[in-house]
Amino acid sequence: GDSVTQTEGLVTLTEGLPVMLNCTYQTIYSNPFLFWYVQHLNESPRLLLKSFTDNKRTEHQGFHATLHKSSSSFHLQKSSAQLSDSALYYCALSSSSGSWQLIFGSGTQLTVMP
Amino acid sequence: EAAVTQSPRNKVTVTGGNVTLSCRQTNSHNYMYWYRQDTGHGLRLIHYSYGAGNLQIGDVPDGYKATRTTQEDFFLLLELASPSQTSLYFCASSDPTGGEDTQYFGPGTRLLVL
């Protein structure tokens, strides 16, 4: 079945350094939708950005990601981390199989230190 | 932005107890979802529905029932609660067939089963 892998459970960075959170996926469907959701402490998850277009950079709130179907990846990046970026980040896959389920990765907890 | 509300926000029950979690969305979304969130497991789909009277089984359905009474209201039922069901529960809604594939999450219900 479909799956999403986020290899880092915890990432700790110093403010100002670049952020890269890894996300790879598996699906048999040729047109997957990929999402990044962010969840700050004591809040609910909310959409950060999404894409279904191969090799096109998607940006929102200083973060960006590019869907690469050749490597089944959708890594999240930011050029300079801020303290307010500390949160739990989920990568998610919708395979457009008709079920409209989201398959979530296990999440990456990002902590940005001063 | 989509509005999803959940009640209660916190619930304590005993093993074997009967619990109903409520979710309401006011944006005419056709899809609604119930997730549980646990450290190390991320967000896991329990049940979902694509309309009133419809119910689809998610990835972790054991011990849970759900009912979609109207387009707005989706309930999660734990008829014999167990300590393993202690978790943070999120409801979400979306309208993928109407072009809104983003899932909007409610504030969550924290359940403790003693």
Side-chain angles (χ1 to χ4, degrees), chain A residues 35-104:
Chain A
F35 303 78
W36 277 101
Y37 281 79
V38 59
Q39 183 180 17
H40 287 92
L41 187 63
N42 296 324
E43 295 183 5
S44 53
R46 62 172 176 81
L47 180 72
L48 180 58
L49 50 79
K50 61 184 179 182
S51 179
F52 58 88
T53 306
D54 199 13
N55 297 317
K56 181 180 177 181
R57 175 171 162 144
T58 298
E59 299 190 35
H60 187 61
Q61 295 183 337
F63 287 90
H64 63 92
T66 303
L67 175 58
H68 292 296
K69 292 183 181 180
S70 61
S71 57
S72 298
S73 66
F74 191 56
H75 305 317
L76 183 68
Q77 299 182 67
K78 188 178 184 184
S79 59
S80 177
Q82 298 177 291
L83 296 177
S84 59
D85 295 330
S86 295
L88 181 58
Y89 291 81
Y90 286 108
C91 184
L93 162 71
S94 175
S95 62
S96 301
S97 62
S99 71
W100 297 108
Q101 290 185 53
L102 280 184
I103 310 299
F104 284 89

Side-chain angles (χ1 to χ4, degrees), chain A residues 11-23:
Chain A
V11 173
T12 303
L13 292 173
T14 302
E15 189 178 17
L17 291 182
V19 178
M20 180 162 173
L21 306 184
N22 292 315
C23 173

Side-chain angles (χ1 to χ4, degrees), chain A residues 33 35 37 39 42-47 50 52 88 90 98-107, chain B residues 31 33 35 37 40-43 45 48 57 59 88 90 96-97 100-103 105-107 110:
Chain A
F33 285 55
F35 303 78
Y37 281 79
Q39 183 180 17
N42 296 324
E43 295 183 5
S44 53
R46 62 172 176 81
L47 180 72
K50 61 184 179 182
F52 58 88
L88 181 58
Y90 286 108
S99 71
W100 297 108
Q101 290 185 53
L102 280 184
I103 310 299
F104 284 89
S106 54
Chain B
Y31 278 72
Y33 310 82
Y35 293 92
Q37 184 179 41
H41 292 279
L43 288 161
L45 182 66
Y48 67 104
I57 294 172
D59 300 321
L88 179 57
F90 286 105
T97 56
E100 179 56 272
D101 51 22
T102 299
Q103 289 191 15
F105 286 80
R110 196 170 294 277

